[in-house]
Amino acid sequence: MDETHPFRVLELTAEERQAFLGRVRPGCVIGEQDYQFIEGIIVGLPEVLALIDHRGMTITRLRQLVFGARTEKTAIVCSAPATTGEAAKPASPPPPKHRRKGHGRLGTEAYPGAQRVRVSHPELHARDLCPDCGRGKLHSLRRPGVVVRIVGQAPLAATVFELEKFRCATCGQVFSAPAPAAAGTEKYDPTVGALVAVLRFGSGMPSYRLAQLQQSLGIPFPASTQWELAADLADVATPAFDCLVRLAAQRGVIHNDDTTMRVASLRREPASLADADKPKRTRTGIFTTGILTGGNEPPIALFFTGHQHAGENLQDLLNHRDRGLPAPIQMCDALSRNEPGETATLLSNCLAHGRRQVVDVATSFPVEARHVLECLREVYHHDAHARTKGLTPEQRLRYHQDLSRPILDDLHRWLRDQIDQKKVEPNSTLGSAFNYLLNHWDPLTLFLRVAGAPLDNNVCERGLKMAIMHRKNSLSYKTERGAQVGDLFMSLIHTCRLNAINPFEYLVALARHPTEVARNPDQWLPWTYAGTAACDTS
């Protein structure tokens, strides 16, 4: 996977560096902030050295990985106009941008989670005479006036119920006021575990930061307690997660990709290779695989962390697939480790990865790169138009065959001519980019032959940003159990987001109905739980 800006760059002045060195001299007590800084250096420096030592690494790519990738728009990465035999058409000036009325303000529809309070007029009612003219009758408007009031509060609030007590002066019997219903039967409400899961695994807030925040606000909430509540909720939500796994295996379009992860308990030192008689070194890499389903059915996101690559995790998923179903469309990049080992799929490679190969060399070969990028831009415009018009997969296929196939056929002939006629050195960086496109042309253009095949794997890469954010903020999981809990909550939270469902409300519903979730998990999925919960409370 191509990650953008996986490192957090620290900019320190000369005075700040000297102050840091003074605080970490032998005999000094190292503070928590300095320890985190040292830990970041120890963890990050080997990764930077590994990137430098990578066989295919370039200065441009290294700069993008460390400092973040700039925009990949054709007009930015290619400074020279295209010259492909025809006179370049003068670029028409872009139409003026009109600022939308109310730009920068959020309407009331942007607050679906806000509490709604109906306020009646203190004096007037429907069908009353108008107080101004005295002749017409008033009628209610469909759209009320609105006022949005936002207040700040701690992520977790607490209420202390002080129960009045009496003691008999003669017998010593103590009488206590009964606790109100609002006090509940448990110290922690089911909403607490749900909020911890959303903050920890959905927003990347480490447990110690939440603990520090709550402590400073006068409501302590230790990191150990956060883990206990999250683990208990994970046990309740496991049946729903397993149901999502079985459903995802039946879908017709499946995206997969992976990124590196750290799990302290899974780290293994590689075996020595000095002695050929010793057993083969076991795999030491740890990865988080993201699997997302496409198509017209509700999308599902799944995450799996461990030593297995994306293809191996996909194979485990496809083992749940009904044998009578046709082979699914698999969208991934061109790495062989992304393909399942046993189950056949209709392989579709990411066109954005092929495009990025050209973007990386655009600075050195702007004319050739612009020609390729402009062709691919037209294809993406066609796909965006098909999506805007709401075309069916079959209609989208015919649309691409009519408009995109001629462009890509011409591009394929042009790329082949560049290589065969030695206009481009095959072993150069540009030749490598062209050969990548040519060698994977069939899976890169599957959308021209199969209805429903996507163009790229961007939706999966965006989903994996949840795991990358966790890795950047928390550095690692401590145990394999922690990774499993993180995978479960990331899967449920991102599935909710893909379906425009409030993940907090969904997790609260699971926490309040543990028995029902275990008995009928298919009725407690993100797109079915609301109706089930409504029937349960009625």
Side-chain angles (χ1 to χ4, degrees), residues 226-495:
Q226 298 176 39
W227 164 250
E228 292 172 359
L229 295 175
D232 291 343
L233 180 55
D235 292 336
V236 173
T238 295
F241 173 78
D242 294 339
C243 188
L244 286 179
V245 171
R246 293 190 295 271
L247 281 178
Q250 318 306 321
R251 297 297 172 81
V253 180
I254 302 177
H255 301 248
N256 72 314
D257 201 354
D258 58 16
T259 184
T260 57
M261 186 51 65
R262 305 183 188 97
V263 181
S265 65
L266 292 181
R267 290 180 179 176
R268 296 198 295 255
E269 292 297 328
S272 175
L273 300 180
D275 191 348
D277 296 333
K278 289 185 177 181
K280 186 178 180 180
R281 177 173 55 179
T282 57
R283 184 185 298 169
T284 59
I286 304 172
F287 310 90
T288 291
T289 294
I291 298 178
L292 279 81
T293 65
N296 296 326
E297 296 178 286
I300 297 174
L302 301 172
F303 296 88
F304 304 96
T305 297
H307 288 296
Q308 293 194 147
H309 289 300
E312 296 166 329
N313 286 315
L314 179 59
Q315 181 60 60
D316 291 344
L317 177 75
L318 294 178
N319 288 337
H320 299 281
R321 188 174 180 84
D322 188 346
R323 300 302 179 185
L325 293 175
I329 299 172
Q330 180 199 354
M331 166 53 72
C332 62
D333 57 42
L335 290 175
S336 59
R337 72 187 191 189
N338 290 334
E339 302 177 23
E342 302 173 6
T343 305
T345 62
L346 295 177
L347 183 61
S348 178
N349 284 160
C350 177
L351 194 60
H353 275 77
R355 182 183 184 277
R356 193 167 297 127
Q357 302 289 327
V358 180
V359 169
D360 289 342
V361 300
T363 304
S364 302
F365 305 94
V367 176
E368 295 85 352
R370 176 179 285 273
H371 177 67
V372 177
L373 297 180
E374 288 184 345
C375 292
L376 297 181
R377 179 176 60 186
E378 292 300 317
V379 175
Y380 271 94
H381 283 175
H382 296 156
D383 197 64
H385 185 264
R387 186 167 53 252
T388 302
K389 294 297 183 181
L391 301 183
T392 65
E394 291 74 18
Q395 292 172 335
R396 172 179 172 270
L397 174 62
R398 292 193 296 269
Y399 185 77
H400 273 301
Q401 288 175 341
D402 293 340
L403 298 180
S404 300
R405 171 169 283 173
I407 297 174
L408 292 177
D409 287 346
D410 290 341
L411 177 61
H412 185 268
R413 286 190 293 269
W414 184 83
L415 291 172
R416 178 57 63 191
D417 181 69
Q418 296 292 307
I419 298 295
D420 294 343
Q421 301 299 323
K422 304 298 183 181
K423 299 178 181 178
V424 172
E425 172 59 42
N427 294 327
S428 67
T429 55
L430 182 63
S432 298
F434 286 2
N435 280 320
Y436 180 93
L437 293 172
L438 292 171
N439 293 337
H440 304 94
W441 190 259
D442 286 343
L444 285 172
T445 59
L446 185 69
F447 64 93
L448 296 178
R449 302 183 300 277
V450 178
L455 265 68
D456 53 47
N457 203 29
N458 290 348
V459 63
C460 187
E461 295 195 4
R462 288 194 295 268
L464 274 176
K465 287 183 178 180
M466 293 185 67
I468 297 171
M469 178 173 59
H470 169 85
R471 187 184 66 208
K472 290 172 60 178
N473 292 340
S474 298
L475 297 183
S476 69
Y477 291 108
K478 185 176 181 180
T479 64
E480 190 173 4
R481 167 63 174 165
Q484 293 172 351
V485 171
D487 290 339
L488 181 143
F489 282 124
M490 288 185 188
S491 301
L492 297 180
I493 291 171
H494 195 51
T495 299

Side-chain angles (χ1 to χ4, degrees), residues 197-212:
V198 173
L199 290 176
R200 178 79 171 86
F201 304 106
S203 300
M205 174 175 281
S207 298
Y208 78 92
R209 291 184 184 175
L210 179 58
Q212 290 176 350

Side-chain angles (χ1 to χ4, degrees), residues 70-78 355 373:
R70 62 180 182 178
T71 178
E72 294 184 356
K73 292 184 177 180
T74 304
I76 301 298
V77 300
C78 300
R355 182 183 184 277
L373 297 180

